[in-house]
Amino acid sequence: SSAFRLNAVYHDADVAGRDEVYNKRWGVAPSLALGLGGDTTATLSYYHLESDNLPDTGIPYSNPAFRDRPDAPARVLGAGDGSPLDVDMDTFYGLTDRDFYKDRSDIATVRIEHKLSDALRIRNSTRYSQTHQDYIWTQPDDSKGNIYYGQLWRRINSRVTTVDTIANQTDLFGEFVTGTLRHSFSAGIELSKEQGENDSYKVETGSGDILTGTPPAPNPNWSCGANVGAAGGYNCVDLFNPNPHDPWNGSITRNNNPTNLQTTTRSAYVFDTIEFSPQWLLNLGARLDGYS
C-alpha cells in the first residue's frame, strides 16, 4: 500500500564557440505515497533544482544613433544599422571573476485524497515553495557611442530575489447521471499567498568607483573616454579584444533596499462535462477570483 520514487538530474554543459560560458544544474525529487488501494491516500513530494551559470549576453549592436565624443580616441566605426557587430565568435565581454547567475527552487507538496463513494472523491493539496534568483552579469552597452571608438562599457545588471508561496486547494470531483445525460464534474476552492523581495547589488570596482545604476564621476553616462583597461577599473574594454579574465578585484555588497510584494488570491470554481453521446460533449465552467 506504499510506494517511493526518487528522480535526480545532473547537467554540466559548455557553449560551443563561447569558451568562458557554462551552465550547470542539479536536482532531486523524492516522493512517497501511502494508502494505495485504500479509501484514503496521501502523497508527499519534494522538488529541489539548483543552477550555477556564467551568463552570456552576447555581443553589442551597431547602434545607428551616433553620439559624438570629442574626449575619445580616433573613431574606428561608422554609424551602424542596428545589426549585431561583426566580431569574432568567441568575443566575450563579461568578467569571469565577477559575473554569475544562480537559481534555486524548493517545492514541498502534501496531497490527501479520500474516496467518499464509487463516484465521488475529495482531494486537498497544500504546497509551499521558495524560489531564489541571484545574479550579476555584464551587458555589452552599445547605447553611449563608445563602440564607434573601438571601446565598450561593461554595464552591470544585478538582482537578488526571493519569492515564498503557500497554496491550498480543495477539490470535490466525480460523476453522476441525470436522465440520459452523464456528468463529470469538479468543484473547489483555492487559496494562495505569495511574498517576494527584490534587491540588487552595489558593485565597487578595484579603482574605487561605485556602480549603483549611475556611473562614477570619471566616466559620466557610461562614457569610456581614455579609461580602457586598468585605468578605468576594467569597466571599459577594447571592443574587438576584451579580456574576460581581467584581474577585477572590487567588492560586491547588497544594496539592502529591497522592493517587497505580497499577493493574495482566493478562488472558487465549478466545471462540468456533459456527455450527450460518445460523439457529443458539452463543457461548462465558471471561476471567480479575488486578487489583491
Side-chain angles (χ1 to χ4, degrees), residues 184-185 270-276 280-286:
S184 299
F185 78 96
V270 58
F271 297 94
D272 187 16
T273 299
I274 305 172
E275 181 180 329
F276 297 95
W280 289 97
L281 304 175
L282 176 63
N283 291 314
L284 300 174

Side-chain angles (χ1 to χ4, degrees), residues 63 67 69 141-147 155 221-223:
N63 193 328
R67 299 178 61 178
R69 283 236 330 272
D141 195 319
D142 53 36
S143 64
K144 304 303 179 182
N146 297 303
I147 58 174
R155 183 172 176 179
N221 299 319
W222 294 289
S223 179

Side-chain angles (χ1 to χ4, degrees), residues 72-109:
R75 183 173 171 183
V76 297
L77 290 178
D81 58 4
S83 61
L85 282 177
D86 184 14
V87 296
D88 291 340
M89 174 68 181
D90 60 355
T91 305
F92 183 72
Y93 296 99
L95 278 169
T96 57
D97 286 344
R98 183 187 67 193
D99 294 3
F100 64 91
Y101 194 115
K102 300 178 186 294
D103 279 319
R104 188 185 71 247
S105 298
D106 290 280
I107 304 172
T109 306

Side-chain angles (χ1 to χ4, degrees), residues 6 18 26 45 71 73 107 145 149 152 167 170 185 190 227 283 290:
L6 177 64
R18 308 290 285 170
W26 68 273
S45 62
D71 63 321
I107 304 172
Y149 302 97
L152 183 130
T170 301
F185 78 96
E190 181 181 329
N227 295 329
N283 291 314

Side-chain angles (χ1 to χ4, degrees), residues 19 29 38 48 55 58-59 90 121 142 149 165 171 223 225 233 244 268 274 279:
D19 294 341
H48 176 85
I59 61 176
D90 60 355
R121 294 173 179 265
D142 53 36
Y149 302 97
T165 305
D171 292 295
S223 179
I274 305 172
Q279 291 80 26

